């Protein structure tokens, strides 16, 4: 009943930029904190960035100063602007959201993932 749909993943050269989007839809009463995680091949899923409903942000040290998270509360959408991309940023990026629903209470939801590949 709740879906998170990501978009924006692509192949990009080192030093390039990408913007990821993630829209939440369904029987939503309120979208609370939202965030992005990533998982490289053979590695665990790691936190990239989070943002609260009031706009307070948090970043992993590895992306601080290069990535910017933002959200549009009216659209239940979170964005991740990624600049100065490096090969080590290559991963599947997953959207995550803490959502209060009309029917099933509050829970954590994940998107299906979008591939970001940084390579020359």
């Amino acid at each position: 009943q709740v879906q998170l749909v990501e978009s924006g993943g692509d192949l990009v050269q080192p030093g390039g930029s990408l913007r990821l989007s993630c829209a939440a839809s369904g029987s939503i009463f309120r979208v609370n904190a939202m965030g992005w995680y990533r998982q490289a091949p053979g590695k665990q899923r790691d936190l990239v960035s989070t943002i609260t409903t009031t706009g307070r942000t948090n970043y992993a040290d590895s992306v601080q100063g290069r990535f910017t998270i933002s959200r549009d509360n009216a659209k239940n959408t979170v964005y991740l602007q990624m600049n100065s991309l490096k090969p080590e940023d290559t991963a599947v990026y997953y959207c995550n959201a803490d959502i209060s629903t009309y029917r099933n209470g509050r829970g954590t939801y994940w998107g299906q993932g979008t591939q970001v590949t940084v390579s020359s």
Side-chain angles (χ1 to χ4, degrees):
Q1 292 184 349
V2 172
Q3 280 191 316
L4 297 181
V5 178
E6 300 125 331
S7 62
D10 205 345
L11 169 64
V12 63
Q13 292 187 344
S17 298
L18 281 176
R19 189 192 194 207
L20 305 182
S21 299
C22 172
S25 63
S27 182
I28 296 172
F29 172 70
R30 175 184 172 91
V31 179
N32 305 302
M34 303 184 82
W36 291 94
Y37 289 70
R38 66 185 181 186
Q39 187 168 18
K43 296 188 176 181
Q44 66 181 17
R45 189 174 297 186
D46 291 326
L47 173 70
V48 176
S49 182
T50 60
I51 185 168
T52 68
T53 54
T54 58
R56 187 171 68 247
T57 59
N58 177 56
Y59 295 95
D61 289 344
S62 59
V63 306
Q64 182 78 44
R66 299 188 298 122
F67 291 10
T68 302
I69 192 170
S70 61
R71 65 188 289 172
D72 184 334
N73 291 331
K75 296 181 179 179
N76 289 335
T77 299
V78 63
Y79 306 96
L80 187 67
Q81 178 66 43
M82 305 186 293
N83 298 329
S84 303
L85 282 161
K86 305 175 181 180
E88 51 263 42
D89 294 317
T90 295
V92 177
Y93 283 70
Y94 295 91
C95 174
N96 169 278
D98 176 1
I99 297 175
S100 300
T101 68
Y102 286 105
R103 295 185 178 182
N104 297 316
R106 186 169 179 171
T108 299
Y109 295 85
W110 292 89
Q112 81 285 356
T114 186
Q115 177 70 47
V116 172
T117 302
V118 185
S119 174
S120 55

mmCIF file of all heavy atoms in Angstrom, residues 16-46:
data_model
loop_
_atom_site.group_PDB
_atom_site.id
_atom_site.type_symbol
_atom_site.label_atom_id
_atom_site.label_comp_id
_atom_site.label_asym_id
_atom_site.label_seq_id
_atom_site.Cartn_x
_atom_site.Cartn_y
_atom_site.Cartn_z
ATOM 1 N N GLY A 16 31.687 13.826 -12.386
ATOM 2 C CA GLY A 16 30.367 14.221 -12.860
ATOM 3 C C GLY A 16 29.339 14.322 -11.745
ATOM 4 O O GLY A 16 29.653 14.161 -10.559
ATOM 5 N N SER A 17 28.105 14.589 -12.149
ATOM 6 C CA SER A 17 27.008 14.792 -11.203
ATOM 7 C C SER A 17 25.790 13.973 -11.604
ATOM 8 O O SER A 17 25.582 13.691 -12.790
ATOM 9 C CB SER A 17 26.617 16.273 -11.142
ATOM 10 O OG SER A 17 27.686 17.067 -10.694
ATOM 11 N N LEU A 18 25.010 13.626 -10.608
ATOM 12 C CA LEU A 18 23.717 12.980 -10.813
ATOM 13 C C LEU A 18 22.758 13.467 -9.745
ATOM 14 O O LEU A 18 23.189 13.849 -8.649
ATOM 15 C CB LEU A 18 23.827 11.454 -10.706
ATOM 16 C CG LEU A 18 24.364 10.652 -11.876
ATOM 17 C CD1 LEU A 18 24.462 9.184 -11.478
ATOM 18 C CD2 LEU A 18 23.518 10.824 -13.115
ATOM 19 N N ARG A 19 21.479 13.418 -10.060
ATOM 20 C CA ARG A 19 20.444 13.743 -9.079
ATOM 21 C C ARG A 19 19.471 12.571 -9.003
ATOM 22 O O ARG A 19 18.837 12.227 -9.992
ATOM 23 C CB ARG A 19 19.696 15.009 -9.463
ATOM 24 C CG ARG A 19 18.756 15.510 -8.375
ATOM 25 C CD ARG A 19 17.838 16.576 -8.902
ATOM 26 N NE ARG A 19 17.161 17.313 -7.838
ATOM 27 C CZ ARG A 19 15.973 17.898 -7.983
ATOM 28 N NH1 ARG A 19 15.350 17.824 -9.129
ATOM 29 N NH2 ARG A 19 15.436 18.567 -6.972
ATOM 30 N N LEU A 20 19.386 11.996 -7.819
ATOM 31 C CA LEU A 20 18.437 10.919 -7.576
ATOM 32 C C LEU A 20 17.153 11.477 -6.974
ATOM 33 O O LEU A 20 17.193 12.451 -6.214
ATOM 34 C CB LEU A 20 19.022 9.887 -6.623
ATOM 35 C CG LEU A 20 20.371 9.263 -6.994
ATOM 36 C CD1 LEU A 20 20.767 8.219 -5.967
ATOM 37 C CD2 LEU A 20 20.350 8.681 -8.376
ATOM 38 N N SER A 21 16.038 10.828 -7.328
ATOM 39 C CA SER A 21 14.745 11.209 -6.768
ATOM 40 C C SER A 21 14.067 9.963 -6.215
ATOM 41 O O SER A 21 14.275 8.856 -6.708
ATOM 42 C CB SER A 21 13.848 11.827 -7.834
ATOM 43 O OG SER A 21 14.423 12.985 -8.376
ATOM 44 N N CYS A 22 13.240 10.170 -5.208
ATOM 45 C CA CYS A 22 12.464 9.066 -4.624
ATOM 46 C C CYS A 22 11.129 9.617 -4.166
ATOM 47 O O CYS A 22 11.087 10.501 -3.305
ATOM 48 C CB CYS A 22 13.208 8.447 -3.465
ATOM 49 S SG CYS A 22 12.237 7.236 -2.532
ATOM 50 N N ALA A 23 10.053 9.081 -4.743
ATOM 51 C CA ALA A 23 8.710 9.541 -4.408
ATOM 52 C C ALA A 23 7.952 8.455 -3.656
ATOM 53 O O ALA A 23 7.930 7.296 -4.095
ATOM 54 C CB ALA A 23 7.959 9.912 -5.680
ATOM 55 N N ALA A 24 7.342 8.846 -2.556
ATOM 56 C CA ALA A 24 6.510 7.934 -1.772
ATOM 57 C C ALA A 24 5.049 8.127 -2.165
ATOM 58 O O ALA A 24 4.587 9.256 -2.337
ATOM 59 C CB ALA A 24 6.694 8.201 -0.287
ATOM 60 N N SER A 25 4.338 7.009 -2.305
ATOM 61 C CA SER A 25 2.923 7.081 -2.666
ATOM 62 C C SER A 25 2.160 5.970 -1.955
ATOM 63 O O SER A 25 2.734 5.000 -1.473
ATOM 64 C CB SER A 25 2.752 6.963 -4.179
ATOM 65 O OG SER A 25 3.204 5.690 -4.627
ATOM 66 N N GLY A 26 0.839 6.135 -1.915
ATOM 67 C CA GLY A 26 -0.001 5.134 -1.273
ATOM 68 C C GLY A 26 -0.826 5.736 -0.157
ATOM 69 O O GLY A 26 -1.078 6.938 -0.121
ATOM 70 N N SER A 27 -1.209 4.881 0.772
ATOM 71 C CA SER A 27 -2.071 5.290 1.873
ATOM 72 C C SER A 27 -1.236 5.924 2.986
ATOM 73 O O SER A 27 -1.048 5.363 4.063
ATOM 74 C CB SER A 27 -2.834 4.078 2.401
ATOM 75 O OG SER A 27 -3.718 4.467 3.447
ATOM 76 N N ILE A 28 -0.770 7.143 2.711
ATOM 77 C CA ILE A 28 0.180 7.818 3.591
ATOM 78 C C ILE A 28 -0.504 8.903 4.397
ATOM 79 O O ILE A 28 -1.151 9.783 3.840
ATOM 80 C CB ILE A 28 1.326 8.425 2.761
ATOM 81 C CG1 ILE A 28 2.136 7.315 2.071
ATOM 82 C CG2 ILE A 28 2.243 9.266 3.659
ATOM 83 C CD1 ILE A 28 3.162 7.820 1.093
ATOM 84 N N PHE A 29 -0.310 8.836 5.697
ATOM 85 C CA PHE A 29 -0.766 9.911 6.582
ATOM 86 C C PHE A 29 0.325 10.967 6.736
ATOM 87 O O PHE A 29 0.066 12.170 6.657
ATOM 88 C CB PHE A 29 -1.162 9.350 7.940
ATOM 89 C CG PHE A 29 -1.457 10.392 8.987
ATOM 90 C CD1 PHE A 29 -2.605 11.174 8.880
ATOM 91 C CD2 PHE A 29 -0.598 10.620 10.047
ATOM 92 C CE1 PHE A 29 -2.884 12.159 9.823
ATOM 93 C CE2 PHE A 29 -0.868 11.598 10.987
ATOM 94 C CZ PHE A 29 -2.016 12.361 10.881
ATOM 95 N N ARG A 30 1.570 10.484 6.929
ATOM 96 C CA ARG A 30 2.681 11.417 7.125
ATOM 97 C C ARG A 30 3.993 10.705 6.792
ATOM 98 O O ARG A 30 4.205 9.571 7.199
ATOM 99 C CB ARG A 30 2.718 11.888 8.582
ATOM 100 C CG ARG A 30 3.907 12.776 8.930
ATOM 101 C CD ARG A 30 3.907 13.103 10.414
ATOM 102 N NE ARG A 30 5.099 13.782 10.853
ATOM 103 C CZ ARG A 30 5.240 15.098 10.891
ATOM 104 N NH1 ARG A 30 4.249 15.882 10.517
ATOM 105 N NH2 ARG A 30 6.369 15.642 11.323
ATOM 106 N N VAL A 31 4.834 11.398 6.043
ATOM 107 C CA VAL A 31 6.190 10.907 5.797
ATOM 108 C C VAL A 31 7.124 11.576 6.787
ATOM 109 O O VAL A 31 7.220 12.805 6.808
ATOM 110 C CB VAL A 31 6.636 11.166 4.356
ATOM 111 C CG1 VAL A 31 8.069 10.649 4.146
ATOM 112 C CG2 VAL A 31 5.697 10.492 3.361
ATOM 113 N N ASN A 32 7.762 10.800 7.596
ATOM 114 C CA ASN A 32 8.657 11.328 8.626
ATOM 115 C C ASN A 32 10.068 11.453 8.032
ATOM 116 O O ASN A 32 10.219 11.982 6.941
ATOM 117 C CB ASN A 32 8.571 10.456 9.859
ATOM 118 C CG ASN A 32 7.131 10.325 10.352
ATOM 119 O OD1 ASN A 32 6.479 11.321 10.659
ATOM 120 N ND2 ASN A 32 6.624 9.097 10.371
ATOM 121 N N ALA A 33 11.088 10.933 8.692
ATOM 122 C CA ALA A 33 12.436 11.048 8.149
ATOM 123 C C ALA A 33 12.568 10.257 6.850
ATOM 124 O O ALA A 33 11.927 9.219 6.653
ATOM 125 C CB ALA A 33 13.463 10.538 9.159
ATOM 126 N N MET A 34 13.401 10.765 5.953
ATOM 127 C CA MET A 34 13.703 10.098 4.689
ATOM 128 C C MET A 34 15.215 10.047 4.530
ATOM 129 O O MET A 34 15.943 10.845 5.138
ATOM 130 C CB MET A 34 13.084 10.843 3.501
ATOM 131 C CG MET A 34 11.584 11.016 3.608
ATOM 132 S SD MET A 34 10.863 11.798 2.146
ATOM 133 C CE MET A 34 10.734 10.364 1.056
ATOM 134 N N GLY A 35 15.667 9.109 3.713
ATOM 135 C CA GLY A 35 17.107 9.017 3.551
ATOM 136 C C GLY A 35 17.517 8.160 2.380
ATOM 137 O O GLY A 35 16.683 7.598 1.664
ATOM 138 N N TRP A 36 18.824 8.122 2.187
ATOM 139 C CA TRP A 36 19.432 7.316 1.131
ATOM 140 C C TRP A 36 20.508 6.421 1.736
ATOM 141 O O TRP A 36 21.288 6.861 2.590
ATOM 142 C CB TRP A 36 20.065 8.223 0.072
ATOM 143 C CG TRP A 36 19.080 8.995 -0.731
ATOM 144 C CD1 TRP A 36 18.636 10.270 -0.493
ATOM 145 C CD2 TRP A 36 18.411 8.549 -1.910
ATOM 146 N NE1 TRP A 36 17.726 10.623 -1.443
ATOM 147 C CE2 TRP A 36 17.567 9.599 -2.338
ATOM 148 C CE3 TRP A 36 18.438 7.375 -2.659
ATOM 149 C CZ2 TRP A 36 16.760 9.503 -3.472
ATOM 150 C CZ3 TRP A 36 17.640 7.274 -3.781
ATOM 151 C CH2 TRP A 36 16.813 8.329 -4.175
ATOM 152 N N TYR A 37 20.520 5.192 1.242
ATOM 153 C CA TYR A 37 21.563 4.222 1.583
ATOM 154 C C TYR A 37 22.161 3.722 0.278
ATOM 155 O O TYR A 37 21.573 3.892 -0.784
ATOM 156 C CB TYR A 37 20.969 3.049 2.367
ATOM 157 C CG TYR A 37 20.544 3.398 3.777
ATOM 158 C CD1 TYR A 37 19.443 4.211 4.016
ATOM 159 C CD2 TYR A 37 21.246 2.914 4.869
ATOM 160 C CE1 TYR A 37 19.054 4.536 5.307
ATOM 161 C CE2 TYR A 37 20.871 3.216 6.164
ATOM 162 C CZ TYR A 37 19.775 4.031 6.374
ATOM 163 O OH TYR A 37 19.405 4.354 7.657
ATOM 164 N N ARG A 38 23.310 3.087 0.364
ATOM 165 C CA ARG A 38 23.894 2.498 -0.836
ATOM 166 C C ARG A 38 24.576 1.183 -0.500
ATOM 167 O O ARG A 38 25.047 0.980 0.620
ATOM 168 C CB ARG A 38 24.871 3.457 -1.505
ATOM 169 C CG ARG A 38 26.123 3.764 -0.715
ATOM 170 C CD ARG A 38 26.948 4.832 -1.431
ATOM 171 N NE ARG A 38 28.186 5.158 -0.729
ATOM 172 C CZ ARG A 38 29.013 6.138 -1.087
ATOM 173 N NH1 ARG A 38 28.730 6.891 -2.162
ATOM 174 N NH2 ARG A 38 30.124 6.355 -0.407
ATOM 175 N N GLN A 39 24.630 0.330 -1.520
ATOM 176 C CA GLN A 39 25.245 -0.977 -1.346
ATOM 177 C C GLN A 39 26.078 -1.299 -2.571
ATOM 178 O O GLN A 39 25.545 -1.433 -3.678
ATOM 179 C CB GLN A 39 24.186 -2.052 -1.115
ATOM 180 C CG GLN A 39 24.756 -3.407 -0.756
ATOM 181 C CD GLN A 39 23.684 -4.370 -0.258
ATOM 182 O OE1 GLN A 39 22.493 -4.171 -0.472
ATOM 183 N NE2 GLN A 39 24.114 -5.409 0.450
ATOM 184 N N ALA A 40 27.379 -1.410 -2.355
ATOM 185 C CA ALA A 40 28.286 -1.801 -3.421
ATOM 186 C C ALA A 40 28.371 -3.331 -3.468
ATOM 187 O O ALA A 40 28.072 -4.000 -2.470
ATOM 188 C CB ALA A 40 29.659 -1.205 -3.175
ATOM 189 N N PRO A 41 28.790 -3.894 -4.601
ATOM 190 C CA PRO A 41 28.879 -5.351 -4.720
ATOM 191 C C PRO A 41 29.758 -5.964 -3.635
ATOM 192 O O PRO A 41 30.872 -5.506 -3.393
ATOM 193 C CB PRO A 41 29.499 -5.550 -6.107
ATOM 194 C CG PRO A 41 29.092 -4.340 -6.867
ATOM 195 C CD PRO A 41 29.107 -3.221 -5.870
ATOM 196 N N GLY A 42 29.225 -6.961 -2.941
ATOM 197 C CA GLY A 42 29.986 -7.649 -1.912
ATOM 198 C C GLY A 42 30.120 -6.923 -0.598
ATOM 199 O O GLY A 42 30.848 -7.368 0.295
ATOM 200 N N LYS A 43 29.422 -5.792 -0.479
ATOM 201 C CA LYS A 43 29.519 -5.001 0.754
ATOM 202 C C LYS A 43 28.154 -4.828 1.394
ATOM 203 O O LYS A 43 27.129 -5.073 0.794
ATOM 204 C CB LYS A 43 30.137 -3.634 0.448
ATOM 205 C CG LYS A 43 31.570 -3.713 -0.057
ATOM 206 C CD LYS A 43 32.193 -2.348 -0.154
ATOM 207 C CE LYS A 43 33.656 -2.439 -0.575
ATOM 208 N NZ LYS A 43 34.294 -1.095 -0.645
ATOM 209 N N GLN A 44 28.150 -4.364 2.637
ATOM 210 C CA GLN A 44 26.895 -4.139 3.337
ATOM 211 C C GLN A 44 26.258 -2.836 2.861
ATOM 212 O O GLN A 44 26.901 -1.995 2.243
ATOM 213 C CB GLN A 44 27.147 -4.068 4.844
ATOM 214 C CG GLN A 44 27.974 -2.866 5.282
ATOM 215 C CD GLN A 44 28.224 -2.854 6.783
ATOM 216 O OE1 GLN A 44 28.067 -3.858 7.470
ATOM 217 N NE2 GLN A 44 28.608 -1.707 7.305
ATOM 218 N N ARG A 45 24.985 -2.693 3.179
ATOM 219 C CA ARG A 45 24.270 -1.463 2.844
ATOM 220 C C ARG A 45 24.630 -0.401 3.887
ATOM 221 O O ARG A 45 24.483 -0.622 5.089
ATOM 222 C CB ARG A 45 22.761 -1.713 2.842
ATOM 223 C CG ARG A 45 21.952 -0.567 2.306
ATOM 224 C CD ARG A 45 20.475 -0.930 2.189
ATOM 225 N NE ARG A 45 20.247 -2.020 1.250
ATOM 226 C CZ ARG A 45 19.030 -2.433 0.885
ATOM 227 N NH1 ARG A 45 17.952 -1.851 1.378
ATOM 228 N NH2 ARG A 45 18.913 -3.437 0.051
ATOM 229 N N ASP A 46 25.072 0.737 3.407
ATOM 230 C CA ASP A 46 25.541 1.810 4.285
ATOM 231 C C ASP A 46 24.694 3.061 4.151
ATOM 232 O O ASP A 46 24.202 3.382 3.063
ATOM 233 C CB ASP A 46 26.999 2.173 3.964
ATOM 234 C CG ASP A 46 27.969 1.069 4.339
ATOM 235 O OD1 ASP A 46 27.732 0.364 5.329
ATOM 236 O OD2 ASP A 46 28.980 0.930 3.618
#
